[in-house]
Amino acid sequence: MLVGRTRELAGARRQLASGRPLVVTGEPGMGKSAFLGVLARQLAEERGLPVHRVRVADFGLRSDVTLLRLLGACGEAGARALTEVVGQAPAAVPNAVVHICRQLFLAHPAVVVVDGVPTGTAADDLLADLVSAFSRTLSFLLVGSADARPPQGAHVALCHLRALDRADASALVRETAGRHGLTAVEELPEELVETASGNPLLARVVGAQMAAAVESGRLPTVVRLPAPAWASDEARRLLDVLAALGVEEFPADLVHTLWGRPTSAVYELCRYEVLHLTDEGNLRLPSVIRSLVVQEWSDAELRDRTADAARTLVGAAEENPAAFGDHPAVFVALVGRTSVACDFVGPLADQLAQRGRLAELLVLRQVLWARTGEVALAVPLAVATRETGQPELAAALLTAHASDDNALLQRAITAHHMGLLAEAGRHLSALPSGRGAEAWTLLTRAAVHCDRGDLRAAGPLLRRAVEAHQVAGDRRGEAWTVFQYGRLCLLRGEVEDAEKLLHAAQEEFHALGDARGVAWAHTELGRLSLQLGTAHPYELSQIRLAHENLGDPRGAAWARLWWVLANADAPDFPWEDEFPSVIHHFRDVSDQLGHAWALHHHALTLARTNGTADSRSEADLLFVEAIQLFKATDCPHGRAWTLLERGLHDPTRRFLHHRWAGDIRHWFRLIGDDAGEAWLDLAESSVGSSPPYELARRFPSVLLDSVTWTEDGDLLLPRAARYTQPEPRPDAYDPDAFRSRVRLTLLDDTPTRIALEIVPGARHPWSTGPLPPLTAHAVPLTHADVQPPHAINADGAEFRFTPRLPGRHRILFTITDHATGAVLQQVETEIDVWSIGPAPRMSAPAAAPVTAPEPARRA
């Protein structure tokens, strides 16, 4: 509990009962932030509401900037609300954002803390807009202001925090000293309490310094504000730099960017209560501490120090561009406070756009407009709008800049995100010839080829893209190209290469601080596990949550689709609810390709699970809708597979009459998908047929073993069959690897016994499982007896050979399927007999196949 604030806290709770916004006032250091934090937590726990917090001090008193940042702190609902602002002129934003906030907080009640409102008449305008934004909502607005006077004309409740009396100040000094390790505190020297002057912040500084003094053997009366006399030079330099920057809240890990190395100075300043670590992981330099630091500087010295600190920070961030996107508030604040910061507006805007930081980009635009009067950042704003799940709006914004080559490239990328593959290709083709060889153009063109299912051109494009990114020194672009290369290998069925590349991309994204890239690499690795049959639904659900937390609804939709497919065939899984839900998510982000694949799998599951006439009819309607979407997106791969599955599950059995086979084969051939044509060949074969040799040389036996024919004669193709278009394996051109051979052996010391063994090739389905029931028959073609016919087991079969005359003898062995009687293979062997007697002398058999129109295979 806050020391000495019990009465104020109770009074504030009574004031809030009136439904009016609460303004907590008090001089700097009076503990307004802590007071507001306690009050907000109590309200949130009692009402079950989320808490949203913004600080005004670092961005000035512009209400449009404050409300934009507040929308950015409100998660997905705030992100959607922000898209209403993107297309508006900067001059219209202040009024528009008040209306948008009112609608948002009416629909999504919350506890909102707006802290750090400084003194001045401009604060009245800000407070008036805040009150207007929260009027007639069920949300709670808590404002912290350094102005002790009542705001002009604002209908608010007031709570003023006064200086602590001597008893409370002494208690706070003792409490802080105890928290910092001073176990016993005698009567406090009078000068220590007087130093605090009833200011809670200074009382904590005094207590912390007193504990540090006793720990180091110094007198506890030696206190110097803001930092003690014995503070290290490194701590003093860091304090000076942070004070010069003038940004009250600062990300803790960005100190390392500023300082160039991990520093103990952060710990030291926190130990003295000069810096405070917030719940959000930021370092806060209170304004009262900053004023104590800068009061000894002249105005010119303050300007020079501020410029130097800003240049140092910007220079370090330019070497590590991820810092722009990871800590946007600091850099956007610098744009509003220092002229030197304008030099990095372009790189900052690009980084914010790539990470979907729409709120910060809008704030940056408003700040630049207020400074220069010019409207800028149109393309970055469109990109950020796309990355937050509004590609249609992004496309409209980019269309207004049709003459801009960068806008044209972003239109292509946006069309690709929407699954409009033909449109993406048209935009890429419209780029000037010189832009066609640029890295991001090559990467986007390769991604379009992969999503169409046409893998032939993707590899060369990606190799050129990697080289172009390396030449340009674009590590982020190179990481995304490696990611796309991993996807290409995944589509080719090259699992090991895909896994290595996706892990490499993931590590590079992590090194660059690109959290969205890390999440997408996780998503594709989840897709890989789905293809291998090793997917863990919990891990896939965590990937979806990661996308949602990063404000990437499109990534969340794809991760959710893989999660649904990992569970779809499990008993009791509510796929009837989950497929419509994931379809809705794809519609929300205007991703027609994802929408089409979700419809495809929904129809497939419906047709296979229920099996009733009504279910088949409903599935047929879903297949038709998916086919229309695949046509609209220009995805031959999805179109061919959906036509194939529709034919196999159509209620009227049209496919079995080969009415659609030619159309399906056309779409497979259009993208060079020989594997798809092989699956079509199996679908056209007679009921009960096994996968042909063309499939056996492309797909693993585990997948082929999951091909089944139902009692009704329906062919059920595994889901994973449509995920890949594998080329023949390296040993696929060795026919023996896909055949089973018959080995004949004269057993030692018993020359009248012949052993027969089936030896499957390395790629034959029998190589990984037991033999099916087979029978071997032996027929002598010369004067000899061979007995008896044998069933072949794991050890093969054994025959007794009895020659009647010496000479060359021939025996024909026939291997048949026990269940169907079908002949699988015939082998003829020759044995030379030199003499007839109790132990005839013979040569080893020489086997030569007589008729083998098909390799031995599972019947």
Side-chain angles (χ1 to χ4, degrees):
M1 184 57 68
L2 300 172
V3 174
R5 298 301 187 197
T6 304
R7 292 172 55 190
E8 287 92 337
L9 195 60
R13 295 299 305 270
R14 288 193 299 271
Q15 294 269 43
L16 284 168
S18 67
R20 293 177 296 170
L22 177 68
V23 178
V24 178
T25 62
E27 295 179 357
M30 286 298 161
K32 295 183 294 297
S33 297
F35 186 87
L36 290 169
V38 170
L39 196 57
R41 283 194 296 274
Q42 290 179 353
L43 288 170
E45 291 171 1
E46 293 170 5
R47 307 299 177 96
L49 299 176
V51 177
H52 306 306
R53 175 180 174 270
V54 294
R55 289 193 59 80
V56 175
D58 294 339
F59 289 84
L61 290 171
R62 294 179 57 88
S63 60
D64 53 346
V65 167
T66 299
L67 292 175
L68 285 170
R69 294 179 58 232
L70 181 56
L71 289 173
C74 292
E76 183 179 352
R80 289 190 174 277
L82 283 167
T83 58
E84 299 179 38
V85 187
V86 174
Q88 305 212 13
V93 170
N95 290 331
V97 78
V98 170
H99 177 69
I100 291 169
C101 281
R102 186 183 302 129
Q103 290 181 316
L104 175 70
F105 290 110
L106 179 62
H108 304 278
V111 178
V112 176
V113 179
V114 180
D115 198 5
V117 177
T119 60
T121 56
D124 293 337
D125 296 333
L126 169 61
L127 190 57
D129 284 341
L130 286 172
V131 172
S132 178
F134 283 84
S135 63
R136 297 186 297 279
T137 71
L138 298 178
S139 297
F140 293 90
L141 173 62
L142 309 178
V143 179
S145 174
D147 201 337
R149 62 185 178 81
Q152 296 290 329
H155 186 62
V156 297
L158 290 174
C159 177
H160 182 63
L161 300 185
R162 295 176 174 82
L164 300 177
D165 59 26
R166 190 185 190 288
D168 287 334
S170 299
L172 186 53
V173 171
R174 287 189 178 88
E175 180 191 274
T176 307
R179 192 170 65 248
H180 284 272
L182 189 56
T183 57
V185 180
E186 301 296 336
E187 182 67 24
L188 289 174
E190 185 70 23
E191 57 267 33
L192 286 179
V193 180
E194 292 300 327
T195 302
S197 302
N199 187 303
L201 174 60
L202 297 183
R204 291 200 300 273
V205 172
V206 168
Q209 289 195 25
M210 189 177 78
V214 172
E215 182 182 356
S216 60
R218 296 180 176 89
L219 292 175
T221 55
V222 182
V223 170
R224 176 182 174 185
L225 298 177
W230 61 84
S232 68
D233 291 341
E234 187 177 24
R236 290 185 179 281
R237 285 197 302 271
L238 177 59
L239 182 59
D240 286 347
V241 171
L242 295 180
L245 281 172
V247 180
E248 189 162 331
E249 283 200 9
F250 205 81
D253 56 339
L254 195 55
V255 171
H256 303 321
T257 300
L258 176 66
W259 214 241
R261 63 185 184 280
T263 173
S264 61
V266 171
Y267 171 79
E268 187 176 354
L269 293 177
C270 288
R271 177 82 170 84
Y272 302 143
E273 296 274 352
V274 172
L275 285 181
H276 298 152
L277 187 63
T278 69
D279 294 338
E280 294 80 14
N282 294 333
L283 290 173
R284 180 168 170 261
L285 180 67
S287 59
V288 66
I289 300 295
R290 179 177 184 269
S291 65
L292 290 171
V293 175
V294 304
Q295 67 182 359
E296 298 178 359
W297 301 345
S298 66
D299 292 342
E301 187 178 7
L302 177 59
R303 284 195 300 271
D304 291 342
R305 285 176 178 263
T306 299
D308 289 343
R311 277 193 292 268
T312 300
L313 183 59
V314 172
E318 286 176 341
E319 295 180 5
N320 178 23
F324 287 135
D326 290 343
H327 310 295
V330 174
F331 293 98
V332 175
L334 286 178
V335 173
R337 298 173 71 93
T338 62
S339 58
V340 68
C342 286
D343 297 338
F344 66 93
V345 166
L348 172 60
D350 289 341
Q351 289 290 326
L352 294 174
Q354 293 161 8
R355 288 162 171 78
R357 307 301 290 262
L358 187 55
E360 287 83 359
L361 262 176
L362 285 166
V363 169
L364 183 60
R365 183 184 70 168
Q366 294 301 110
V367 168
L368 291 173
W369 173 70
R371 171 183 289 181
T372 65
E374 297 180 359
V375 181
L377 309 181
V379 173
L381 278 170
V383 173
T385 302
R386 178 188 71 212
E387 295 300 320
T388 52
Q390 299 290 324
E392 290 181 332
L393 176 57
L397 294 170
L398 291 166
T399 302
H401 298 79
S403 60
D404 186 334
D405 291 346
N406 290 327
L408 190 57
L409 174 59
Q410 292 302 330
R411 288 176 71 184
I413 297 174
T414 303
H416 175 244
H417 280 214
M418 297 171 68
L420 303 177
L421 306 179
E423 182 178 330
R426 287 194 297 271
H427 291 320
L428 291 170
S429 299
L431 285 167
S433 57
R435 298 294 302 268
E438 290 184 357
W440 284 100
T441 304
L442 296 168
L443 173 57
T444 306
R445 196 180 297 278
V448 169
H449 278 288
C450 287
D451 284 343
R452 292 185 75 248
D454 188 355
L455 310 184
R456 294 167 294 188
L461 287 169
L462 290 172
R463 285 192 289 273
R464 292 170 60 195
V466 168
E467 294 171 357
H469 280 305
Q470 289 174 340
V471 170
D474 185 354
R475 290 179 59 193
R476 179 178 177 273
E478 186 178 353
W480 277 105
T481 307
V482 172
F483 166 81
Q484 187 61 45
Y485 225 131
R487 288 191 71 235
L488 174 62
C489 290
L490 194 56
L491 293 168
R492 286 174 172 168
E494 300 165 358
V495 175
E496 292 183 359
D497 290 340
E499 187 173 19
K500 291 177 183 177
L501 288 166
L502 290 172
H503 275 300
Q506 186 180 52
E507 291 174 3
E508 185 66 7
F509 285 137
H510 183 75
L512 294 171
D514 190 340
R516 288 191 171 212
V518 172
W520 273 102
H522 268 302
T523 301
E524 289 303 307
L525 287 167
R527 182 183 182 183
L528 183 149
S529 68
L530 190 64
Q531 291 182 199
L532 295 176
T534 60
H536 296 288
Y538 175 75
E539 292 181 3
L540 291 171
S541 67
Q542 293 301 110
I543 295 171
R544 174 176 60 85
L545 289 175
H547 282 293
E548 290 176 351
N549 292 335
L550 292 167
D552 183 4
R554 177 171 171 265
W558 278 103
R560 182 163 188 172
L561 176 60
W562 304 138
W563 174 78
V564 171
L565 294 183
N567 292 282
D569 298 323
D572 301 326
F573 179 72
W575 56 266
E576 301 95 333
D577 300 324
E578 292 297 340
F579 274 115
S581 179
V582 76
I583 288 169
H584 173 74
H585 279 75
F586 278 119
R587 282 176 177 159
D588 267 1
V589 296
S590 304
D591 189 339
Q592 296 194 48
L593 186 63
H595 183 186
W597 277 115
L599 283 170
H600 172 99
H601 285 286
H602 187 191
L604 185 62
T605 307
L606 180 63
R608 290 183 178 184
T609 304
N610 290 341
T612 64
D614 290 343
S615 295
R616 288 180 181 273
S617 297
E618 186 180 351
D620 190 62
L621 293 175
L622 293 174
F623 277 130
V624 170
E625 187 179 354
I627 290 168
Q628 292 171 345
L629 275 175
F630 280 125
K631 180 180 179 181
T633 62
D634 188 35
C635 178
H637 177 67
R639 192 172 179 179
W641 269 102
T642 309
L643 284 168
L644 174 56
E645 290 290 1
R646 186 192 178 198
L648 292 174
H649 296 91
D650 188 78
T652 60
R653 291 293 192 271
R654 285 173 293 193
F655 186 80
L656 297 183
H657 300 295
H658 307 287
R659 291 183 57 179
W660 293 341
D663 194 19
I664 297 169
R665 196 174 298 278
H666 163 75
W667 294 113
F668 278 131
R669 285 182 177 173
L670 184 67
I671 56 176
D673 186 358
D674 296 334
E677 286 199 72
W679 288 113
L680 177 61
D681 292 339
L682 176 61
E684 289 188 289
S685 62
S686 58
V687 174
S689 298
S690 297
Y693 172 67
E694 186 62 31
L695 291 176
R697 72 191 192 123
R698 295 174 185 271
F699 292 92
S701 58
V702 174
L703 186 141
L704 298 180
D705 287 344
S706 63
V707 175
T708 56
W709 294 85
T710 68
E711 294 180 358
D712 296 331
D714 293 333
L715 173 61
L716 302 182
L717 299 179
R719 288 187 192 270
R722 70 216 66 210
Y723 297 157
T724 58
Q725 304 172 40
E727 295 294 322
R729 282 182 284 264
D731 57 356
Y733 299 101
D734 176 12
D736 288 340
F738 295 89
R739 300 176 186 269
S740 284
R741 297 183 296 108
V742 177
R743 177 185 293 165
L744 300 172
T745 307
L746 282 175
L747 299 181
D748 294 342
D749 302 325
T750 55
T752 57
R753 293 165 58 205
I754 301 175
L756 181 147
E757 182 183 3
I758 302 295
V759 182
R763 298 296 184 185
H764 194 279
W766 294 348
S767 65
T768 58
L771 296 175
L774 302 176
T775 303
H777 294 81
V779 177
L781 303 180
T782 55
H783 294 288
D785 293 326
V786 182
Q787 292 293 335
H790 280 286
I792 303 175
N793 56 31
D795 298 322
E798 187 177 305
F799 299 87
R800 181 171 293 277
F801 169 64
T802 306
R804 301 293 184 187
L805 297 171
R808 174 164 295 181
H809 290 265
R810 292 182 298 129
I811 307 170
L812 178 65
F813 293 91
T814 302
I815 313 301
T816 61
D817 180 87
H818 182 73
T820 64
V823 174
L824 301 180
Q825 194 166 358
Q826 290 183 311
V827 176
E828 182 180 313
T829 187
E830 295 179 346
I831 302 177
D832 291 326
V833 179
W834 300 332
S835 64
I836 299 296
R841 296 173 59 199
M842 307 179 187
S843 65
V850 177
T851 58
E854 293 288 340
R857 65 184 182 188
R858 191 187 306 274

